[in-house]
Amino acid sequence: MFFQPRHVDEALEIRGRMGSDVTPLGGGTDIVVTINKTSMRPKHFLDLTHLPDYTHVVRDNGNWVLSAGATFSQLGKLPMKALAAAAMTVGGAAIRNTGTIAGNLGTASPAGDGCVALMAIDAEVELTHATRGRRTIPIHEYFTGFRRTALLADELITGVRLRTDWRTAWYKIGKRGSINISLVCAAFGMSPEGGVRMAYGCVAPIVMRTRLAEEIIEKDGLTDAAIEAAAQSVMKEVAPIDDHRASANYRRAMCGVLARRLLRELRIKNTG
Amino acid sequence: MHTNGTSWRLQCTINGQPIDTEVEQDETLLFFLRDRLGLTGTKGSCLEGECGSCTVIVDGQAVNSCLVLCPQMQGRTVETIEGLANGDKLHVLQEKFLASGAAQCGYCTPGLIMAAKALLDENPNPSEQQFFEGMEGNICRCTGYAAICEAIRSAAREWK
Ligand SMILES: Cc1cc2nc3c(=O)[nH]c(=O)nc-3n(C[C@H](O)[C@H](O)[C@H](O)COP(=O)(O)OP(=O)(O)OC[C@H]3O[C@@H](n4cnc5c(N)ncnc54)[C@H](O)[C@@H]3O)c2cc1C
């Protein structure tokens, strides 16, 4: 069956009733690739793209609230540097016009650029069930293992909340300028209270934060010595693998390079 | 709304024509256009969103038709390369592609033109950066892009 609910309650009811038997469908940029390339065929689809307000992006009390279906094209216009820059590195324009933030979180790839950017700003993910209601969890509790998440089989991702007052920085290392899967990517954020987040993609089974390095900067500030100590710590904390895209050694070295580069950028720039 | 079994009654608009027909729930828009409607201008190549040869415009936005399931097009407006010319009068992008010699084998051309149309409809005067962002999802393996960029730039100058 293919379900195309016109109201979120109907979508939640179908998901609550059918659980993992039904596949939520956003932009399809992950699911339909799998359909085209493998013999996998979801038996039942839950098309979320016709829900009213599914793509809404609104301000709420100093926060941004992204509806689950906010596309990369929309995120690319937000004044949050790491998230906007990450979004604009995804695919080409046609992918960015359809690919959604919930789809990125649903796939939960260790190369998920949107996921990495959200980790750098302590985003919160809203997971909703038909009768149990909505729960909001911090993004760092959302990823639980390789392509495993805190989303329960009878819930839908309904939104993402972001604070707007963090300074952020982003860099993605890939092989070319377009349609570019990360070899390593990093998003860093600093809260107005001095909290530091250093998130990396493609260097562990899940997108990860290098917490020991974060503590070094939180304690000592963005001095040259602290930046170097943080970079050294990052290279110990990450756990990359060799694969067809890059070697573990290269990735580890680049994590150090990105730590220095992005921490210096945060030191220079005051906004975004 | 939902399917009857796996069959979906699709109602949408394609190149200005109302469509009302049964589709399979996991049929992609690309093969629906090509195999069922005979609109073979839209090409399929990588089937994973990397090459752009299947680009069409849905509700004003460039989309990879190989990654869209037909039922998702319910109520939507789809434009393909076949919808551009007005009778024998070519669309300005088509004219400029001809004038600039922007096609060699031609396989990528419909996708390039649709991506360019979506770009220029949104912003007839794109910066270098915006031009790149709008066109980066479309690959040409013959021409080396110079003539393609020239064609799109000269179409932009006459955009209405
Ligand atoms: C050519 C190409 C280039 C790409 N480049 C990048 C890149 O550079 N960086 C990157 O991170 N990704 C990239 N991707 C992957 C993909 O575009 C992203 O992961 C995107 O965010 C997926 O979103 P979607 O809406 O298309 O997801 P879908 O394919 O619709 O869904 C993906 C998964 O999420 C689940 N899901 C979707 N919405 C919900 C919801 N509301 N609640 C619960 N589950 C949900 C689905 O069931 C499915 O498991 C690329 C893909 C292609 C085809």
Side-chain angles (χ1 to χ4, degrees):
Chain A
M1 294 271 275
F2 190 106
F3 299 94
Q4 192 172 84
R6 300 301 166 125
H7 196 281
V8 69
D9 290 344
E10 194 191 336
L12 290 168
E13 186 277 319
I14 294 164
R15 178 70 159 166
R17 178 161 48 83
M18 298 184 70
S20 58
D21 287 344
V22 74
T23 301
L25 176 64
T29 60
D30 282 318
I31 295 173
V32 185
V33 170
T34 313
I35 291 176
N36 285 342
K37 296 288 167 177
T38 70
S39 57
M40 192 282 283
R41 290 283 174 285
K43 229 173 135 193
H44 307 294
F45 293 92
L46 179 55
D47 178 9
L48 303 171
T49 60
H50 289 249
L51 292 176
D53 302 345
Y54 193 59
T55 62
H56 269 205
V57 173
V58 292
R59 294 228 37 180
D60 170 38
N61 260 336
N63 289 315
W64 284 96
V65 184
L66 315 179
S67 290
T71 64
F72 293 114
S73 295
Q74 291 175 280
L75 302 185
K77 297 189 180 116
L78 290 179
M80 265 152 309
K81 189 168 171 225
L83 183 60
M88 292 311 288
T89 69
V90 172
I95 297 290
R96 293 192 290 271
N97 286 340
T98 47
T100 66
I101 193 66
N104 212 241
L105 290 166
T107 297
S109 158
D113 292 316
C115 301
V116 177
L118 294 181
M119 286 277 266
I121 43 179
D122 271 6
E124 294 179 318
V125 185
E126 288 177 9
L127 307 175
T128 309
H129 180 268
T131 54
R132 296 191 303 270
R134 186 169 81 190
R135 60 195 179 106
T136 302
I137 61 167
I139 183 95
H140 61 266
E141 290 174 16
Y142 174 78
F143 302 102
T144 56
F146 180 63
R147 290 178 187 263
R148 289 220 321 275
T149 72
L151 175 74
L152 299 175
D154 56 4
E155 292 174 322
L156 289 174
I157 302 165
T158 46
V160 177
R161 298 181 76 85
L162 318 166
R163 277 175 56 177
T164 53
D165 49 0
W166 289 46
R167 280 194 276 158
T168 63
W170 160 265
Y171 201 84
K172 168 168 172 173
I173 298 178
K175 288 206 165 155
R176 50 189 174 169
S178 306
I179 319 266
N180 195 6
I181 303 284
S182 295
L183 303 177
V184 183
C185 65
F188 290 7
M190 278 191 110
S191 73
E193 298 82 26
V196 175
R197 300 288 178 268
M198 299 169 63
Y200 283 88
C202 303
V203 295
I206 58 177
V207 299
M208 70 172 286
R209 279 168 48 193
T210 52
R211 290 178 188 253
L212 299 176
E214 291 174 359
E215 280 169 26
I216 293 172
I217 303 295
E218 283 177 353
K219 187 162 139 286
D220 296 344
L222 289 164
T223 64
D224 284 345
I227 289 175
E228 187 51 35
Q232 295 300 329
S233 178
V234 162
M235 289 189 278
K236 294 199 192 82
E237 291 178 70
V238 295
I241 55 166
D242 291 316
D243 69 9
H244 59 290
R245 294 207 183 93
S247 69
N249 281 339
Y250 175 75
R251 288 194 162 105
R252 192 181 297 281
M254 289 309 106
C255 287
V257 169
L258 291 185
R260 292 185 198 98
R261 179 174 180 148
L262 297 188
L263 289 171
R264 287 197 197 112
E265 193 178 320
L266 285 178
R267 181 166 66 184
I268 298 165
K269 296 203 183 128
N270 305 314
T271 51
Chain B
M1 289 178 72
H2 58 77
T3 40
N4 177 11
T6 60
S7 172
W8 175 274
R9 182 172 168 198
L10 175 65
Q11 294 173 302
C12 65
T13 304
I14 298 181
N15 296 333
Q17 301 293 318
I19 300 288
D20 186 343
T21 185
E22 299 287 322
V23 293
E24 278 301 300
Q25 65 178 21
D26 52 15
E27 188 175 347
T28 60
L29 177 60
L30 169 66
F31 289 110
F32 176 71
L33 292 171
R34 289 181 58 82
D35 297 346
R36 306 260 232 122
L37 301 185
L39 297 173
T40 52
T42 304
K43 308 301 181 197
S45 179
C46 75
L47 305 187
E48 55 186 28
E50 307 221 347
C51 75
S53 66
C54 69
T55 307
V56 299
I57 298 178
V58 176
D59 288 351
Q61 291 197 312
V63 163
N64 295 122
S65 63
C66 76
L67 298 183
V68 171
L69 298 182
C70 283
Q72 294 188 282
M73 291 298 99
Q74 193 72 14
R76 307 283 197 228
T77 297
V78 182
E79 293 168 70
T80 74
I81 188 74
E82 289 87 351
L84 288 197
N86 186 357
D88 284 343
K89 173 97 181 80
L90 292 180
H91 186 273
V92 59
L93 274 165
Q94 294 170 310
E95 278 174 358
K96 298 300 178 188
F97 266 65
L98 279 174
S100 302
Q104 197 165 318
C105 88
Y107 200 82
C108 65
T109 310
L112 280 163
I113 290 180
M114 297 314 284
K117 178 169 191 291
L119 170 70
L120 297 179
D121 277 343
E122 192 185 325
N123 177 4
N125 194 11
S127 66
E128 276 299 314
Q129 174 75 16
Q130 290 163 335
F131 188 97
F132 175 78
E133 286 167 1
M135 298 307 301
E136 65 177 321
N138 293 73
I139 292 172
C140 172
R141 288 279 140 105
C142 308
T143 62
Y145 301 108
I148 293 168
C149 293
E150 181 190 298
I152 299 169
R153 287 269 177 229
S154 56
R157 284 191 285 275
E158 293 171 29
W159 205 253
K160 285 190 276 289

mmCIF file with all atom_site columns, all heavy atoms in Angstrom, chain A residues 1-15:
data_model
loop_
_atom_site.group_PDB
_atom_site.id
_atom_site.type_symbol
_atom_site.label_atom_id
_atom_site.label_alt_id
_atom_site.label_comp_id
_atom_site.label_asym_id
_atom_site.label_entity_id
_atom_site.label_seq_id
_atom_site.pdbx_PDB_ins_code
_atom_site.Cartn_x
_atom_site.Cartn_y
_atom_site.Cartn_z
_atom_site.occupancy
_atom_site.B_iso_or_equiv
_atom_site.pdbx_formal_charge
_atom_site.auth_seq_id
_atom_site.auth_comp_id
_atom_site.auth_asym_id
_atom_site.auth_atom_id
_atom_site.pdbx_PDB_model_num
ATOM 1   N N   . MET A 1 1  ? 0.838  -1.195 0.000  1.00 0.00 ? 1  MET A N   1
ATOM 2   C CA  . MET A 1 1  ? 0.000  0.000  0.000  1.00 0.00 ? 1  MET A CA  1
ATOM 3   C C   . MET A 1 1  ? 0.879  1.253  0.000  1.00 0.00 ? 1  MET A C   1
ATOM 4   O O   . MET A 1 1  ? 1.982  1.244  0.523  1.00 0.00 ? 1  MET A O   1
ATOM 5   C CB  . MET A 1 1  ? -0.870 0.039  1.265  1.00 0.00 ? 1  MET A CB  1
ATOM 6   C CG  . MET A 1 1  ? -1.891 -1.061 1.357  1.00 0.00 ? 1  MET A CG  1
ATOM 7   S SD  . MET A 1 1  ? -3.452 -0.574 0.583  1.00 0.00 ? 1  MET A SD  1
ATOM 8   C CE  . MET A 1 1  ? -4.251 0.281  1.910  1.00 0.00 ? 1  MET A CE  1
ATOM 9   N N   . PHE A 1 2  ? 0.352  2.273  -0.584 1.00 0.00 ? 2  PHE A N   1
ATOM 10  C CA  . PHE A 1 2  ? 1.007  3.580  -0.577 1.00 0.00 ? 2  PHE A CA  1
ATOM 11  C C   . PHE A 1 2  ? 0.044  4.552  0.092  1.00 0.00 ? 2  PHE A C   1
ATOM 12  O O   . PHE A 1 2  ? -1.047 4.795  -0.412 1.00 0.00 ? 2  PHE A O   1
ATOM 13  C CB  . PHE A 1 2  ? 1.308  4.014  -2.013 1.00 0.00 ? 2  PHE A CB  1
ATOM 14  C CG  . PHE A 1 2  ? 2.200  5.228  -2.130 1.00 0.00 ? 2  PHE A CG  1
ATOM 15  C CD1 . PHE A 1 2  ? 3.530  5.097  -2.519 1.00 0.00 ? 2  PHE A CD1 1
ATOM 16  C CD2 . PHE A 1 2  ? 1.713  6.508  -1.886 1.00 0.00 ? 2  PHE A CD2 1
ATOM 17  C CE1 . PHE A 1 2  ? 4.361  6.211  -2.652 1.00 0.00 ? 2  PHE A CE1 1
ATOM 18  C CE2 . PHE A 1 2  ? 2.538  7.619  -2.007 1.00 0.00 ? 2  PHE A CE2 1
ATOM 19  C CZ  . PHE A 1 2  ? 3.859  7.476  -2.396 1.00 0.00 ? 2  PHE A CZ  1
ATOM 20  N N   . PHE A 1 3  ? 0.441  5.072  1.238  1.00 0.00 ? 3  PHE A N   1
ATOM 21  C CA  . PHE A 1 3  ? -0.416 6.011  1.964  1.00 0.00 ? 3  PHE A CA  1
ATOM 22  C C   . PHE A 1 3  ? 0.075  7.433  1.743  1.00 0.00 ? 3  PHE A C   1
ATOM 23  O O   . PHE A 1 3  ? 1.273  7.691  1.822  1.00 0.00 ? 3  PHE A O   1
ATOM 24  C CB  . PHE A 1 3  ? -0.379 5.722  3.468  1.00 0.00 ? 3  PHE A CB  1
ATOM 25  C CG  . PHE A 1 3  ? -0.874 4.353  3.829  1.00 0.00 ? 3  PHE A CG  1
ATOM 26  C CD1 . PHE A 1 3  ? 0.015  3.290  3.963  1.00 0.00 ? 3  PHE A CD1 1
ATOM 27  C CD2 . PHE A 1 3  ? -2.232 4.113  4.029  1.00 0.00 ? 3  PHE A CD2 1
ATOM 28  C CE1 . PHE A 1 3  ? -0.438 2.021  4.293  1.00 0.00 ? 3  PHE A CE1 1
ATOM 29  C CE2 . PHE A 1 3  ? -2.692 2.856  4.365  1.00 0.00 ? 3  PHE A CE2 1
ATOM 30  C CZ  . PHE A 1 3  ? -1.793 1.798  4.492  1.00 0.00 ? 3  PHE A CZ  1
ATOM 31  N N   . GLN A 1 4  ? -0.847 8.320  1.499  1.00 0.00 ? 4  GLN A N   1
ATOM 32  C CA  . GLN A 1 4  ? -0.485 9.732  1.313  1.00 0.00 ? 4  GLN A CA  1
ATOM 33  C C   . GLN A 1 4  ? -1.401 10.596 2.178  1.00 0.00 ? 4  GLN A C   1
ATOM 34  O O   . GLN A 1 4  ? -2.340 11.221 1.695  1.00 0.00 ? 4  GLN A O   1
ATOM 35  C CB  . GLN A 1 4  ? -0.624 10.098 -0.158 1.00 0.00 ? 4  GLN A CB  1
ATOM 36  C CG  . GLN A 1 4  ? -0.001 11.422 -0.511 1.00 0.00 ? 4  GLN A CG  1
ATOM 37  C CD  . GLN A 1 4  ? -0.011 11.624 -2.013 1.00 0.00 ? 4  GLN A CD  1
ATOM 38  O OE1 . GLN A 1 4  ? -1.005 12.061 -2.576 1.00 0.00 ? 4  GLN A OE1 1
ATOM 39  N NE2 . GLN A 1 4  ? 1.075  11.272 -2.667 1.00 0.00 ? 4  GLN A NE2 1
ATOM 40  N N   . PRO A 1 5  ? -1.115 10.607 3.488  1.00 0.00 ? 5  PRO A N   1
ATOM 41  C CA  . PRO A 1 5  ? -1.996 11.346 4.394  1.00 0.00 ? 5  PRO A CA  1
ATOM 42  C C   . PRO A 1 5  ? -1.954 12.843 4.123  1.00 0.00 ? 5  PRO A C   1
ATOM 43  O O   . PRO A 1 5  ? -0.942 13.376 3.692  1.00 0.00 ? 5  PRO A O   1
ATOM 44  C CB  . PRO A 1 5  ? -1.426 11.027 5.776  1.00 0.00 ? 5  PRO A CB  1
ATOM 45  C CG  . PRO A 1 5  ? -0.020 10.612 5.535  1.00 0.00 ? 5  PRO A CG  1
ATOM 46  C CD  . PRO A 1 5  ? 0.004  9.956  4.184  1.00 0.00 ? 5  PRO A CD  1
ATOM 47  N N   . ARG A 1 6  ? -3.080 13.496 4.393  1.00 0.00 ? 6  ARG A N   1
ATOM 48  C CA  . ARG A 1 6  ? -3.181 14.953 4.241  1.00 0.00 ? 6  ARG A CA  1
ATOM 49  C C   . ARG A 1 6  ? -3.202 15.646 5.584  1.00 0.00 ? 6  ARG A C   1
ATOM 50  O O   . ARG A 1 6  ? -3.360 16.846 5.673  1.00 0.00 ? 6  ARG A O   1
ATOM 51  C CB  . ARG A 1 6  ? -4.458 15.308 3.463  1.00 0.00 ? 6  ARG A CB  1
ATOM 52  C CG  . ARG A 1 6  ? -4.501 14.701 2.076  1.00 0.00 ? 6  ARG A CG  1
ATOM 53  C CD  . ARG A 1 6  ? -3.315 15.183 1.261  1.00 0.00 ? 6  ARG A CD  1
ATOM 54  N NE  . ARG A 1 6  ? -3.118 14.414 0.050  1.00 0.00 ? 6  ARG A NE  1
ATOM 55  C CZ  . ARG A 1 6  ? -3.063 14.940 -1.160 1.00 0.00 ? 6  ARG A CZ  1
ATOM 56  N NH1 . ARG A 1 6  ? -3.211 16.227 -1.335 1.00 0.00 ? 6  ARG A NH1 1
ATOM 57  N NH2 . ARG A 1 6  ? -2.827 14.175 -2.201 1.00 0.00 ? 6  ARG A NH2 1
ATOM 58  N N   . HIS A 1 7  ? -3.067 14.862 6.640  1.00 0.00 ? 7  HIS A N   1
ATOM 59  C CA  . HIS A 1 7  ? -3.037 15.472 7.971  1.00 0.00 ? 7  HIS A CA  1
ATOM 60  C C   . HIS A 1 7  ? -2.044 14.696 8.836  1.00 0.00 ? 7  HIS A C   1
ATOM 61  O O   . HIS A 1 7  ? -1.957 13.465 8.731  1.00 0.00 ? 7  HIS A O   1
ATOM 62  C CB  . HIS A 1 7  ? -4.429 15.444 8.607  1.00 0.00 ? 7  HIS A CB  1
ATOM 63  C CG  . HIS A 1 7  ? -4.522 16.368 9.774  1.00 0.00 ? 7  HIS A CG  1
ATOM 64  N ND1 . HIS A 1 7  ? -4.027 16.032 11.012 1.00 0.00 ? 7  HIS A ND1 1
ATOM 65  C CD2 . HIS A 1 7  ? -4.996 17.619 9.894  1.00 0.00 ? 7  HIS A CD2 1
ATOM 66  C CE1 . HIS A 1 7  ? -4.205 17.044 11.853 1.00 0.00 ? 7  HIS A CE1 1
ATOM 67  N NE2 . HIS A 1 7  ? -4.780 18.020 11.196 1.00 0.00 ? 7  HIS A NE2 1
ATOM 68  N N   . VAL A 1 8  ? -1.316 15.400 9.678  1.00 0.00 ? 8  VAL A N   1
ATOM 69  C CA  . VAL A 1 8  ? -0.256 14.734 10.448 1.00 0.00 ? 8  VAL A CA  1
ATOM 70  C C   . VAL A 1 8  ? -0.830 13.666 11.381 1.00 0.00 ? 8  VAL A C   1
ATOM 71  O O   . VAL A 1 8  ? -0.204 12.620 11.594 1.00 0.00 ? 8  VAL A O   1
ATOM 72  C CB  . VAL A 1 8  ? 0.625  15.766 11.191 1.00 0.00 ? 8  VAL A CB  1
ATOM 73  C CG1 . VAL A 1 8  ? -0.123 16.454 12.300 1.00 0.00 ? 8  VAL A CG1 1
ATOM 74  C CG2 . VAL A 1 8  ? 1.905  15.121 11.707 1.00 0.00 ? 8  VAL A CG2 1
ATOM 75  N N   . ASP A 1 9  ? -2.030 13.885 11.930 1.00 0.00 ? 9  ASP A N   1
ATOM 76  C CA  . ASP A 1 9  ? -2.622 12.870 12.812 1.00 0.00 ? 9  ASP A CA  1
ATOM 77  C C   . ASP A 1 9  ? -2.824 11.554 12.081 1.00 0.00 ? 9  ASP A C   1
ATOM 78  O O   . ASP A 1 9  ? -2.645 10.471 12.648 1.00 0.00 ? 9  ASP A O   1
ATOM 79  C CB  . ASP A 1 9  ? -3.980 13.352 13.355 1.00 0.00 ? 9  ASP A CB  1
ATOM 80  C CG  . ASP A 1 9  ? -3.806 14.486 14.356 1.00 0.00 ? 9  ASP A CG  1
ATOM 81  O OD1 . ASP A 1 9  ? -2.665 14.661 14.835 1.00 0.00 ? 9  ASP A OD1 1
ATOM 82  O OD2 . ASP A 1 9  ? -4.794 15.182 14.627 1.00 0.00 ? 9  ASP A OD2 1
ATOM 83  N N   . GLU A 1 10 ? -3.227 11.680 10.821 1.00 0.00 ? 10 GLU A N   1
ATOM 84  C CA  . GLU A 1 10 ? -3.439 10.473 10.013 1.00 0.00 ? 10 GLU A CA  1
ATOM 85  C C   . GLU A 1 10 ? -2.098 9.761  9.772  1.00 0.00 ? 10 GLU A C   1
ATOM 86  O O   . GLU A 1 10 ? -2.001 8.528  9.878  1.00 0.00 ? 10 GLU A O   1
ATOM 87  C CB  . GLU A 1 10 ? -4.069 10.907 8.681  1.00 0.00 ? 10 GLU A CB  1
ATOM 88  C CG  . GLU A 1 10 ? -4.659 9.808  7.848  1.00 0.00 ? 10 GLU A CG  1
ATOM 89  C CD  . GLU A 1 10 ? -5.000 10.326 6.438  1.00 0.00 ? 10 GLU A CD  1
ATOM 90  O OE1 . GLU A 1 10 ? -5.217 11.555 6.252  1.00 0.00 ? 10 GLU A OE1 1
ATOM 91  O OE2 . GLU A 1 10 ? -5.024 9.502  5.520  1.00 0.00 ? 10 GLU A OE2 1
ATOM 92  N N   . ALA A 1 11 ? -1.066 10.537 9.496  1.00 0.00 ? 11 ALA A N   1
ATOM 93  C CA  . ALA A 1 11 ? 0.263  9.950  9.285  1.00 0.00 ? 11 ALA A CA  1
ATOM 94  C C   . ALA A 1 11 ? 0.731  9.229  10.545 1.00 0.00 ? 11 ALA A C   1
ATOM 95  O O   . ALA A 1 11 ? 1.236  8.095  10.491 1.00 0.00 ? 11 ALA A O   1
ATOM 96  C CB  . ALA A 1 11 ? 1.257  11.042 8.903  1.00 0.00 ? 11 ALA A CB  1
ATOM 97  N N   . LEU A 1 12 ? 0.543  9.865  11.699 1.00 0.00 ? 12 LEU A N   1
ATOM 98  C CA  . LEU A 1 12 ? 0.984  9.259  12.962 1.00 0.00 ? 12 LEU A CA  1
ATOM 99  C C   . LEU A 1 12 ? 0.186  8.001  13.274 1.00 0.00 ? 12 LEU A C   1
ATOM 100 O O   . LEU A 1 12 ? 0.723  7.014  13.779 1.00 0.00 ? 12 LEU A O   1
ATOM 101 C CB  . LEU A 1 12 ? 0.842  10.273 14.101 1.00 0.00 ? 12 LEU A CB  1
ATOM 102 C CG  . LEU A 1 12 ? 1.828  11.450 14.056 1.00 0.00 ? 12 LEU A CG  1
ATOM 103 C CD1 . LEU A 1 12 ? 1.413  12.533 15.044 1.00 0.00 ? 12 LEU A CD1 1
ATOM 104 C CD2 . LEU A 1 12 ? 3.259  10.980 14.334 1.00 0.00 ? 12 LEU A CD2 1
ATOM 105 N N   . GLU A 1 13 ? -1.105 8.039  12.943 1.00 0.00 ? 13 GLU A N   1
ATOM 106 C CA  . GLU A 1 13 ? -1.959 6.876  13.209 1.00 0.00 ? 13 GLU A CA  1
ATOM 107 C C   . GLU A 1 13 ? -1.485 5.680  12.378 1.00 0.00 ? 13 GLU A C   1
ATOM 108 O O   . GLU A 1 13 ? -1.350 4.564  12.889 1.00 0.00 ? 13 GLU A O   1
ATOM 109 C CB  . GLU A 1 13 ? -3.422 7.247  12.905 1.00 0.00 ? 13 GLU A CB  1
ATOM 110 C CG  . GLU A 1 13 ? -4.449 6.190  13.259 1.00 0.00 ? 13 GLU A CG  1
ATOM 111 C CD  . GLU A 1 13 ? -4.606 5.128  12.176 1.00 0.00 ? 13 GLU A CD  1
ATOM 112 O OE1 . GLU A 1 13 ? -4.607 5.471  10.979 1.00 0.00 ? 13 GLU A OE1 1
ATOM 113 O OE2 . GLU A 1 13 ? -4.695 3.939  12.553 1.00 0.00 ? 13 GLU A OE2 1
ATOM 114 N N   . ILE A 1 14 ? -1.190 5.910  11.101 1.00 0.00 ? 14 ILE A N   1
ATOM 115 C CA  . ILE A 1 14 ? -0.748 4.819  10.216 1.00 0.00 ? 14 ILE A CA  1
ATOM 116 C C   . ILE A 1 14 ? 0.588  4.263  10.719 1.00 0.00 ? 14 ILE A C   1
ATOM 117 O O   . ILE A 1 14 ? 0.783  3.051  10.834 1.00 0.00 ? 14 ILE A O   1
ATOM 118 C CB  . ILE A 1 14 ? -0.612 5.319  8.757  1.00 0.00 ? 14 ILE A CB  1
ATOM 119 C CG1 . ILE A 1 14 ? -1.987 5.692  8.195  1.00 0.00 ? 14 ILE A CG1 1
ATOM 120 C CG2 . ILE A 1 14 ? 0.062  4.269  7.880  1.00 0.00 ? 14 ILE A CG2 1
ATOM 121 C CD1 . ILE A 1 14 ? -1.944 6.539  6.926  1.00 0.00 ? 14 ILE A CD1 1
ATOM 122 N N   . ARG A 1 15 ? 1.510  5.157  11.061 1.00 0.00 ? 15 ARG A N   1
ATOM 123 C CA  . ARG A 1 15 ? 2.820  4.733  11.559 1.00 0.00 ? 15 ARG A CA  1
ATOM 124 C C   . ARG A 1 15 ? 2.684  3.996  12.893 1.00 0.00 ? 15 ARG A C   1
ATOM 125 O O   . ARG A 1 15 ? 3.330  2.971  13.127 1.00 0.00 ? 15 ARG A O   1
ATOM 126 C CB  . ARG A 1 15 ? 3.718  5.962  11.708 1.00 0.00 ? 15 ARG A CB  1
ATOM 127 C CG  . ARG A 1 15 ? 5.082  5.698  12.259 1.00 0.00 ? 15 ARG A CG  1
ATOM 128 C CD  . ARG A 1 15 ? 5.975  4.951  11.306 1.00 0.00 ? 15 ARG A CD  1
ATOM 129 N NE  . ARG A 1 15 ? 7.371  5.169  11.689 1.00 0.00 ? 15 ARG A NE  1
ATOM 130 C CZ  . ARG A 1 15 ? 8.393  4.467  11.235 1.00 0.00 ? 15 ARG A CZ  1
ATOM 131 N NH1 . ARG A 1 15 ? 8.187  3.483  10.364 1.00 0.00 ? 15 ARG A NH1 1
ATOM 132 N NH2 . ARG A 1 15 ? 9.622  4.737  11.619 1.00 0.00 ? 15 ARG A NH2 1
#
